[in-house]
Amino acid sequence: MTTSFPPGFLWGSATAAAQIEGAAFEDGKEASVWDTFSRVPGAVLNGDTPDVAVDHYHRMPEDVALMKRLGLQSYRFSTSWARIRPGDRDVNPAGLDFYSRLVDELLEAGVLPWLTLYHWDLPQAVEDTGGWANRDTAYRFAEYAEIVHGALGDRVANWTTFNEPFCSSLLGYASGVHAPGRQEPAAAIAAVHHQHLGHGLAVQRLRELGAQHIGITLNLTNAIPKDAGDPVDLEAARRVDGLNNRIFLDPLLRGSYPDDIRTDLADLGLTFGDDALVRPGDLEIIAQPLDFLGVNHYHDDMVSGHPLEVPADPSLVPADPHAVAGGIRSVGSPFVGSEYVTFPLRGLPLTGMGWEVNPSGLTRLLVRLGEEYPALPPLYVTENGAAYDDEVAADGAIHDELRTTYIVDHIQAVSDAIAAGADVRGYFVWSLLDNFEWGWGYGKRFGIVRVDYDTLERTPKDSALAYAAQIAAATDARAVDPASAAVLG
C-alpha cells in the first residue's frame, strides 16, 4: 500500500504536564486533583504519584534537544493550571516562566509549540469548591486561559482548550477511575456541560485576544454492535456512541445535545431552562467556530447489551479499561444510565493495556466525522500510540517491534483516510516519553523514548527511530542519523 500526505502535513509527538513534569510542589505549584487522588489508597498502581514523574520540569532543555534530533516538527504539551495559578488564586510567575522557557526552547529548535490548556490536572482548591460539577469552574477556566495567552500568546499560535473531556468528566466524576475519583452520575453530566461551557468561554476570550488557531481534542471511538441484527446490541452501541462521541461532538459542531441523549439523561441532570444545567445562551457559547478538531484514538470498541461470555483462553481477557489498576477501590462505569453495556473481544491482537489493535478503525472514524458533520473543521490526530512491556537489550537498545508496527500501521490508516476524503492535517504520536500513566502509575509504557525511572536516563526506542524515518521520508527531509538519537543522560 502507498502512504502519502498532503503538503504541510504536520508530524509531532505529545505529552501532558501531570504525566511528565514532576516538581509537583516546587516553585509555587500547589496540588492538582491528580496529586491528591494518587494518594488515595488503591487509586494508583503501587501507590505511585506524579511527584517526580520523569522530571521534565528540570530536564526540559535536553528533552527538547531530543525532539529536534528525532526530527519532530511539532510538540503538543499541556500547561498546568495548578502551576500557573496555584489554588486558582494569584498568578505564579515561576510557573509561567517555565512554559515561557519551554516555548522559547522549542522555537529555537525549530519545533512548533502546540499548547493544550487542560489535560486533567484541575487545581485541588477548585475541586474543593465543586470542581467541574460547579458552573463557576467554567468561568475560572476562561480566566486561566487568558492568563496563559497573556504570557505565551506572542509566540504560541496553536491553542487546544481541553484534552479528552470524556475522561476528566465521565471517568473522573462517574466511574471514579480518574481524579477526582467521584462516583456521582449527575455530577458527571454537570462536568460534561461545564467543560463544554468553559471551552466556549475560553475560545471567545482567546479570539478577543487575537488567537487565530483554536480547537479542542476529543477521544473518539467506533461503537460497533456485536450482532448488527440484535436490537439489544444495536441499542448498546447507540448508547456508547452517544456518551463517548456525540455528547461532545454535537454541542461543539451543531450547537445542540442529541435528542436521544437528552432523553437518556433527563433524569440524571441533563436539563434545560433558566435554573437548569443547560441555561439559555449556553449552547451558542459552546458552539464557537473551531479552526481544528483534535482526534485521539487508540482503539475502537465492539459493544453488546448482553453480559460478557468468559473467553475460552483466559489470556485473552483484557485489563478492564474502566477498572482501577490497583484493584483495591470499587469503581463504576463511565457510561451513566447505560452501565449494563459490555465490550466483547473480537480476537484481535491486544496492546499492553488490553486494547484491541485495529488500525482500519482509525480510518473509519476519520472518514465518518467528515460525512456526519458538515461544519467539521480540519482534523489532527493529536494522540495515537500503544503501551507494551519493553525489554532493554544487552546493548542498551529497546527493540519495541509491536509498538513500531502499531505506529506504522496507524500512520497508514491516516493516509488511507485522507485518500478517502478526510481532511487530516497532522499526526502526533503518544507519547514522546514513558511517564506517569494515571491509574497505572509507572506500570505502563507508551513512550517512543524509554525513561529509566531510577536514573531518569532517556533512550530512544526503535519506534522513535522508525517514526523519525517516517517523518524524514514524508517530508523529503534529510534522513535522521540513528547515532544522533543516542542515549541522553
Side-chain angles (χ1 to χ4, degrees):
M1 300 179 68
T2 301
T3 303
S4 61
F5 297 90
F9 191 87
L10 192 63
W11 298 93
S13 190
T15 65
Q19 294 183 270
I20 66 165
E21 285 180 3
F25 302 100
E26 291 185 35
D27 294 339
K29 182 183 175 295
E30 296 181 10
S32 76
V33 290
W34 272 98
D35 295 312
T36 301
F37 184 64
S38 67
R39 287 165 166 77
V40 174
V44 176
L45 184 66
N46 297 324
D48 292 340
T49 75
D51 288 7
V52 176
V54 296
D55 201 31
H56 174 72
Y57 188 79
H58 298 111
R59 297 168 179 260
M60 177 268 291
E62 73 175 78
D63 287 341
V64 175
L66 178 54
M67 298 175 207
K68 182 177 181 178
R69 294 180 186 184
L70 293 176
L72 297 185
Q73 298 172 345
S74 186
Y75 173 54
R76 179 174 172 258
F77 65 96
S78 71
T79 51
S80 169
W81 189 345
R83 190 179 298 283
I84 289 172
R85 201 177 186 185
D88 200 43
R89 299 187 306 275
D90 297 332
V91 176
N92 178 24
L96 282 175
D97 178 67
F98 169 72
Y99 297 110
S100 183
R101 288 186 287 110
L102 169 61
V103 169
D104 286 345
E105 199 84 26
L106 290 168
L107 293 173
E108 178 65 24
V111 179
L112 180 72
W114 194 288
L115 190 151
T116 298
L117 287 163
Y118 190 76
H119 199 132
W120 311 350
D121 48 356
L122 186 72
Q124 181 61 43
V126 179
E127 175 57 30
D128 291 342
T129 66
W132 288 111
N134 182 353
R135 184 180 176 91
D136 182 59
T137 302
Y139 295 89
R140 297 165 84 162
F141 175 75
E143 293 173 0
Y144 157 65
E146 181 173 353
I147 291 166
V148 178
H149 187 276
L152 306 178
D154 59 331
R155 288 157 291 160
V156 173
N158 302 283
W159 295 83
T160 301
T161 54
F162 286 83
N163 178 79
E164 297 187 356
F166 172 90
C167 296
S168 48
S169 58
L170 296 175
L171 287 177
Y173 289 81
S175 72
V177 171
H178 280 194
R182 291 162 65 176
Q183 297 180 51
E184 306 165 34
I189 300 306
V192 169
H193 182 67
H194 294 151
Q195 289 190 1
H196 280 326
L197 182 61
H199 159 82
L201 292 167
V203 172
Q204 285 183 329
R205 190 67 187 117
L206 290 170
R207 294 265 188 237
E208 292 169 357
L209 295 169
Q212 298 295 316
H213 200 236
I214 309 171
I216 188 170
T217 280
L218 306 177
N219 54 314
L220 303 172
T221 189
N222 302 307
I224 304 163
K226 180 181 179 182
D227 181 350
D230 183 348
V232 174
D233 286 351
L234 289 170
E235 171 67 3
R238 177 194 69 78
R239 286 173 173 267
V240 169
D241 181 58
L243 289 167
N244 209 133
N245 299 332
R246 292 181 289 114
I247 198 173
F248 301 100
L249 288 164
D250 281 37
L252 294 166
L253 299 177
R254 291 182 170 139
S256 63
Y257 284 98
D259 288 342
D260 61 324
I261 299 304
R262 291 183 60 165
T263 300
D264 292 343
L265 301 178
D267 293 337
L268 292 171
L270 189 59
T271 55
F272 297 73
D274 291 341
D275 297 318
L277 176 63
V278 184
R279 299 181 185 177
D282 282 5
L283 289 165
E284 288 77 12
I285 293 172
I286 292 166
Q288 298 296 306
L290 298 176
D291 300 302
F292 67 89
L293 175 66
V295 176
N296 290 359
H297 185 78
Y298 295 87
H299 62 95
D300 54 11
D301 298 292
M302 177 172 282
V303 180
S304 177
H306 300 286
L308 285 176
E309 298 177 3
V310 178
D313 181 355
S315 69
L316 295 179
V317 179
D320 184 346
H322 310 310
V324 170
I328 300 173
R329 293 173 63 249
S330 174
V331 298
S333 168
F335 297 105
V336 293
S338 303
E339 290 85 354
Y340 71 93
V341 299
T342 59
F343 299 89
L345 295 177
R346 292 170 284 184
L348 298 172
L350 303 177
T351 71
M353 298 295 288
W355 297 341
E356 292 186 323
V357 179
N358 184 32
S360 64
L362 177 56
T363 304
R364 176 178 176 177
L365 174 64
L366 295 170
V367 172
R368 171 200 170 184
L369 290 171
E371 292 174 345
E372 296 190 7
Y373 290 91
L376 188 72
L379 302 174
Y380 290 80
V381 176
T382 40
E383 288 183 26
N384 175 246
Y388 290 104
D389 296 330
D390 298 325
E391 294 185 8
V392 181
D395 61 357
I398 300 93
H399 303 302
D400 57 337
E401 181 180 356
L402 291 174
R403 182 180 295 105
T404 300
T405 299
Y406 179 101
I407 292 170
V408 170
D409 287 350
H410 281 79
I411 288 173
Q412 178 66 59
V414 175
S415 176
D416 293 344
I418 293 171
D423 185 8
V424 188
R425 301 190 183 182
Y427 174 90
F428 293 75
V429 70
W430 183 272
S431 174
L432 177 67
L433 302 165
D434 290 335
N435 55 39
F436 175 78
E437 189 48 45
W438 309 116
W440 287 100
Y442 300 100
K444 299 293 180 182
R445 294 178 178 269
F446 275 89
I448 59 172
V449 174
R450 179 181 174 83
V451 178
D452 182 313
Y453 293 132
D454 293 323
T455 66
L456 298 175
E457 182 178 70
R458 276 78 159 137
T459 307
K461 306 174 187 179
D462 282 3
S463 57
L465 303 181
Y467 187 51
Q470 167 69 45
I471 296 171
T475 58
D476 293 323
R478 177 177 61 86
V480 173
D481 177 6
S484 71
V487 173
L488 296 183

PDB file of all heavy atoms in Angstrom, residues 60-70 105 109 484 488:
ATOM      1  N   MET A  60      13.890  19.794  30.873  1.00  0.00           N
ATOM      2  CA  MET A  60      13.217  20.256  29.659  1.00  0.00           C
ATOM      3  C   MET A  60      14.164  20.536  28.491  1.00  0.00           C
ATOM      4  O   MET A  60      13.892  20.100  27.359  1.00  0.00           O
ATOM      5  CB  MET A  60      12.353  21.473  29.979  1.00  0.00           C
ATOM      6  CG  MET A  60      11.652  22.097  28.800  1.00  0.00           C
ATOM      7  SD  MET A  60      12.636  23.441  28.054  1.00  0.00           S
ATOM      8  CE  MET A  60      12.569  24.688  29.349  1.00  0.00           C
ATOM      9  N   PRO A  61      15.277  21.247  28.685  1.00  0.00           N
ATOM     10  CA  PRO A  61      16.146  21.524  27.521  1.00  0.00           C
ATOM     11  C   PRO A  61      16.640  20.261  26.820  1.00  0.00           C
ATOM     12  O   PRO A  61      16.671  20.189  25.588  1.00  0.00           O
ATOM     13  CB  PRO A  61      17.294  22.333  28.125  1.00  0.00           C
ATOM     14  CG  PRO A  61      16.684  22.993  29.324  1.00  0.00           C
ATOM     15  CD  PRO A  61      15.748  21.970  29.881  1.00  0.00           C
ATOM     16  N   GLU A  62      17.018  19.227  27.596  1.00  0.00           N
ATOM     17  CA  GLU A  62      17.503  18.011  26.943  1.00  0.00           C
ATOM     18  C   GLU A  62      16.359  17.269  26.250  1.00  0.00           C
ATOM     19  O   GLU A  62      16.563  16.630  25.215  1.00  0.00           O
ATOM     20  CB  GLU A  62      18.209  17.086  27.932  1.00  0.00           C
ATOM     21  CG  GLU A  62      17.319  16.359  28.908  1.00  0.00           C
ATOM     22  CD  GLU A  62      18.081  15.367  29.773  1.00  0.00           C
ATOM     23  OE1 GLU A  62      18.730  15.810  30.729  1.00  0.00           O
ATOM     24  OE2 GLU A  62      18.017  14.152  29.482  1.00  0.00           O
ATOM     25  N   ASP A  63      15.144  17.385  26.785  1.00  0.00           N
ATOM     26  CA  ASP A  63      14.011  16.747  26.118  1.00  0.00           C
ATOM     27  C   ASP A  63      13.701  17.436  24.790  1.00  0.00           C
ATOM     28  O   ASP A  63      13.364  16.775  23.799  1.00  0.00           O
ATOM     29  CB  ASP A  63      12.781  16.756  27.035  1.00  0.00           C
ATOM     30  CG  ASP A  63      12.897  15.776  28.187  1.00  0.00           C
ATOM     31  OD1 ASP A  63      13.733  14.846  28.094  1.00  0.00           O
ATOM     32  OD2 ASP A  63      12.169  15.943  29.179  1.00  0.00           O
ATOM     33  N   VAL A  64      13.813  18.750  24.764  1.00  0.00           N
ATOM     34  CA  VAL A  64      13.598  19.467  23.509  1.00  0.00           C
ATOM     35  C   VAL A  64      14.710  19.135  22.514  1.00  0.00           C
ATOM     36  O   VAL A  64      14.453  18.958  21.320  1.00  0.00           O
ATOM     37  CB  VAL A  64      13.506  20.989  23.754  1.00  0.00           C
ATOM     38  CG1 VAL A  64      13.417  21.740  22.427  1.00  0.00           C
ATOM     39  CG2 VAL A  64      12.291  21.310  24.625  1.00  0.00           C
ATOM     40  N   ALA A  65      15.921  19.018  22.997  1.00  0.00           N
ATOM     41  CA  ALA A  65      17.019  18.624  22.110  1.00  0.00           C
ATOM     42  C   ALA A  65      16.756  17.256  21.497  1.00  0.00           C
ATOM     43  O   ALA A  65      17.066  17.013  20.319  1.00  0.00           O
ATOM     44  CB  ALA A  65      18.338  18.626  22.878  1.00  0.00           C
ATOM     45  N   LEU A  66      16.163  16.369  22.277  1.00  0.00           N
ATOM     46  CA  LEU A  66      15.827  15.041  21.752  1.00  0.00           C
ATOM     47  C   LEU A  66      14.749  15.139  20.683  1.00  0.00           C
ATOM     48  O   LEU A  66      14.813  14.446  19.658  1.00  0.00           O
ATOM     49  CB  LEU A  66      15.372  14.159  22.901  1.00  0.00           C
ATOM     50  CG  LEU A  66      14.933  12.725  22.575  1.00  0.00           C
ATOM     51  CD1 LEU A  66      16.031  11.990  21.795  1.00  0.00           C
ATOM     52  CD2 LEU A  66      14.596  11.979  23.849  1.00  0.00           C
ATOM     53  N   MET A  67      13.753  15.994  20.898  1.00  0.00           N
ATOM     54  CA  MET A  67      12.727  16.211  19.863  1.00  0.00           C
ATOM     55  C   MET A  67      13.371  16.648  18.553  1.00  0.00           C
ATOM     56  O   MET A  67      13.017  16.162  17.475  1.00  0.00           O
ATOM     57  CB  MET A  67      11.736  17.288  20.312  1.00  0.00           C
ATOM     58  CG  MET A  67      10.954  16.974  21.549  1.00  0.00           C
ATOM     59  SD  MET A  67       9.930  18.404  22.025  1.00  0.00           S
ATOM     60  CE  MET A  67       9.803  18.152  23.793  1.00  0.00           C
ATOM     61  N   LYS A  68      14.313  17.572  18.662  1.00  0.00           N
ATOM     62  CA  LYS A  68      14.986  18.069  17.454  1.00  0.00           C
ATOM     63  C   LYS A  68      15.759  16.953  16.762  1.00  0.00           C
ATOM     64  O   LYS A  68      15.708  16.821  15.525  1.00  0.00           O
ATOM     65  CB  LYS A  68      15.921  19.220  17.824  1.00  0.00           C
ATOM     66  CG  LYS A  68      16.638  19.837  16.634  1.00  0.00           C
ATOM     67  CD  LYS A  68      17.501  21.011  17.063  1.00  0.00           C
ATOM     68  CE  LYS A  68      18.206  21.636  15.854  1.00  0.00           C
ATOM     69  NZ  LYS A  68      19.028  22.816  16.246  1.00  0.00           N
ATOM     70  N   ARG A  69      16.448  16.122  17.535  1.00  0.00           N
ATOM     71  CA  ARG A  69      17.241  15.040  16.946  1.00  0.00           C
ATOM     72  C   ARG A  69      16.361  14.023  16.246  1.00  0.00           C
ATOM     73  O   ARG A  69      16.775  13.411  15.257  1.00  0.00           O
ATOM     74  CB  ARG A  69      18.072  14.356  18.032  1.00  0.00           C
ATOM     75  CG  ARG A  69      19.142  15.256  18.622  1.00  0.00           C
ATOM     76  CD  ARG A  69      19.938  14.549  19.694  1.00  0.00           C
ATOM     77  NE  ARG A  69      20.852  15.465  20.344  1.00  0.00           N
ATOM     78  CZ  ARG A  69      21.727  15.115  21.275  1.00  0.00           C
ATOM     79  NH1 ARG A  69      21.798  13.848  21.659  1.00  0.00           N
ATOM     80  NH2 ARG A  69      22.521  16.006  21.826  1.00  0.00           N
ATOM     81  N   LEU A  70      15.139  13.853  16.747  1.00  0.00           N
ATOM     82  CA  LEU A  70      14.219  12.906  16.116  1.00  0.00           C
ATOM     83  C   LEU A  70      13.466  13.520  14.946  1.00  0.00           C
ATOM     84  O   LEU A  70      12.717  12.829  14.257  1.00  0.00           O
ATOM     85  CB  LEU A  70      13.218  12.385  17.148  1.00  0.00           C
ATOM     86  CG  LEU A  70      13.813  11.504  18.254  1.00  0.00           C
ATOM     87  CD1 LEU A  70      12.743  11.139  19.273  1.00  0.00           C
ATOM     88  CD2 LEU A  70      14.455  10.251  17.675  1.00  0.00           C
ATOM     89  N   GLU A 105      12.566  27.451  23.929  1.00  0.00           N
ATOM     90  CA  GLU A 105      13.444  26.328  23.596  1.00  0.00           C
ATOM     91  C   GLU A 105      12.927  25.601  22.350  1.00  0.00           C
ATOM     92  O   GLU A 105      13.714  25.225  21.456  1.00  0.00           O
ATOM     93  CB  GLU A 105      13.509  25.371  24.778  1.00  0.00           C
ATOM     94  CG  GLU A 105      14.690  24.428  24.768  1.00  0.00           C
ATOM     95  CD  GLU A 105      15.956  25.040  25.348  1.00  0.00           C
ATOM     96  OE1 GLU A 105      15.864  25.959  26.175  1.00  0.00           O
ATOM     97  OE2 GLU A 105      17.052  24.574  24.960  1.00  0.00           O
ATOM     98  N   ALA A 109      14.643  25.360  18.575  1.00  0.00           N
ATOM     99  CA  ALA A 109      14.926  24.047  17.976  1.00  0.00           C
ATOM    100  C   ALA A 109      14.161  23.822  16.678  1.00  0.00           C
ATOM    101  O   ALA A 109      14.318  22.773  16.044  1.00  0.00           O
ATOM    102  CB  ALA A 109      14.575  22.949  18.975  1.00  0.00           C
ATOM    103  N   SER A 484      22.465  10.121  16.021  1.00  0.00           N
ATOM    104  CA  SER A 484      22.100  11.397  16.629  1.00  0.00           C
ATOM    105  C   SER A 484      21.006  11.230  17.661  1.00  0.00           C
ATOM    106  O   SER A 484      20.704  12.146  18.412  1.00  0.00           O
ATOM    107  CB  SER A 484      21.633  12.384  15.563  1.00  0.00           C
ATOM    108  OG  SER A 484      20.359  12.008  15.053  1.00  0.00           O
ATOM    109  N   LEU A 488      20.448   9.818  25.885  1.00  0.00           N
ATOM    110  CA  LEU A 488      20.705  11.089  26.556  1.00  0.00           C
ATOM    111  C   LEU A 488      20.727  10.842  28.050  1.00  0.00           C
ATOM    112  O   LEU A 488      19.824  10.251  28.614  1.00  0.00           O
ATOM    113  CB  LEU A 488      19.608  12.108  26.215  1.00  0.00           C
ATOM    114  CG  LEU A 488      19.521  12.513  24.744  1.00  0.00           C
ATOM    115  CD1 LEU A 488      18.438  13.567  24.581  1.00  0.00           C
ATOM    116  CD2 LEU A 488      20.835  13.038  24.228  1.00  0.00           C
TER     117      LEU A 488
END
